Amino acid sequence: MFDTKEKNIDELEQAHIDFISTVSHELRTPLTSIRGFADTLLTSYDRLTPEQRKKFLLIIKEQSNRLINLVENLLTVSKMQSDKELMIYKKVDVIPFIESAVQMMRSQYKNYNYICTYGKNLPQILVDTDKFQQILLNLIDNASKYSPEGSNVCIDVSQNFNENTLIIKVIDHGIGISSGDIGKIFNKFSRVDSPLTRKIQGNGLGLYITKNLVEKMGGEISVQSSDKGSEFSVIFKAAAADDNRLTKVKE
Ligand code: ADP
């Protein structure tokens, strides 16, 4: 008994050390790049062409965005792990949320085709709307960034009458995930390491957060993938007519 407890503490400590080391690494890479390009601009401003200056400023902006994303994701993870996260549930139709997420993605990924297909008379679901929006954005963002420019990204919403559930599928025709990696992608800070993914920015927190939020709201998430693309499915129970819960603090 004593041994197991001690082992658990050791494991927790190790997880904590690993976490700090990963976060430090994730922070250091963009910070080093920002400092390097800012230094070059300061020391060699007059010798650089306007194009070079613009290029360096764009890198600084891109790396700052990367830092902001990381910090936002870390704050979400820390809120998720605290015991006081407030879930504000609302019964909603999903289509307006999908349309709004797609519109946001269209402004970011201008050359992609987003195709939405909806079943008829879809049931409402009971979700925290901000968190539901975050789930959609994470999945559609991944489907876009892990696909070549100009690809189709499909969002299909249907109902399973037998199970009384609503199924949201985000389907892409991108680089796919190998069977050896697919089991790891929902882990914290987990990224597939390949020449293709190395070129794409990310911190490996999006799917960890997504899965956690889906499950916290009583849903399920799964993925199927091949070298022709990936399909992420999120399933929620249809809201019951008499379910009027509005707020709930995480147990
Ligand atoms: P990241 O910030 O790296 O995108 P995620 O947690 O969202 O982190 O995803 C974890 C990893 O899963 C990604 O780094 C990528 O290797 C893989 N992945 C996620 N979505 C897709 C997708 N639609 N197609 C191919 N690979 C994906």
Side-chain angles (χ1 to χ4, degrees), residues 13 88 117 128 149 152 159 179 212:
E13 255 169 33
I88 303 177
T117 49
D128 178 306
E149 218 169 310
N152 289 350
Q159 180 174 13
S179 51
N212 202 292

Side-chain angles (χ1 to χ4, degrees), residues 11 24 60 87 113 202 209 223 225 251:
E11 276 172 9
S24 311
I60 291 177
M87 306 291 278
N113 305 308
I209 291 173
V223 56
S225 194
E251 294 96 25

Side-chain angles (χ1 to χ4, degrees), residues 153-210:
V153 172
C154 308
I155 298 103
D156 176 77
V157 190
S158 61
Q159 180 174 13
N160 180 328
F161 288 95
N162 293 334
E163 312 254 325
N164 198 25
T165 51
L166 182 93
I167 304 148
I168 303 166
K169 290 187 174 171
V170 179
I171 305 157
D172 67 59
H173 306 281
I175 61 173
I177 306 156
S178 71
S179 51
D181 288 316
I182 212 158
K184 304 179 209 148
I185 58 171
F186 293 104
N187 295 344
K188 212 190 283 179
F189 290 117
S190 176
R191 300 206 75 210
V192 174
D193 187 30
S194 78
L196 284 174
T197 52
R198 254 172 258 145
K199 283 186 260 164
I200 302 163
Q201 239 175 57
N203 49 47
L205 285 174
L207 285 180
Y208 171 74
I209 291 173
T210 303

Side-chain angles (χ1 to χ4, degrees), residues 8 11 15 24 35 58 79 83 90 108 110 124 135 162 164 180 211 238:
N8 283 344
E11 276 172 9
S24 311
R35 191 179 57 185
L58 279 173
K79 252 196 265 161
D83 284 338
K90 225 173 143 186
Q108 196 178 333
K110 297 212 167 51
Q124 292 191 307
I135 291 166
N162 293 334
N164 198 25
K211 182 174 161 69

Side-chain angles (χ1 to χ4, degrees), residues 135 210-221 234 236:
I135 291 166
T210 303
K211 182 174 161 69
N212 202 292
L213 293 179
V214 169
E215 289 177 353
K216 208 165 270 178
M217 293 193 278
E220 283 170 31
I221 184 165
V234 174
F236 283 109

Side-chain angles (χ1 to χ4, degrees), residues 60-127:
I60 291 177
K61 185 178 166 201
E62 211 174 84
Q63 295 300 316
S64 310
N65 283 340
R66 184 173 161 188
L67 282 175
I68 291 169
N69 280 342
L70 174 65
V71 171
E72 275 171 2
N73 276 340
L74 287 172
L75 285 173
T76 308
V77 169
S78 121
K79 252 196 265 161
M80 274 177 358
Q81 287 173 344
S82 84
D83 284 338
K84 296 183 192 72
E85 191 182 18
L86 184 67
M87 306 291 278
I88 303 177
Y89 283 100
K90 225 173 143 186
K91 225 190 279 182
V92 294
D93 292 315
V94 297
I95 295 177
F97 287 91
I98 298 209
E99 297 285 321
S100 134
V102 165
Q103 205 178 334
M104 283 163 90
M105 287 295 130
R106 275 201 183 108
S107 62
Q108 196 178 333
Y109 297 96
K110 297 212 167 51
N111 300 322
Y112 289 71
N113 305 308
Y114 294 97
I115 302 159
C116 303
T117 49
Y118 304 119
K120 283 201 183 111
N121 302 323
L122 295 169
Q124 292 191 307
I125 55 172
L126 193 69
V127 286

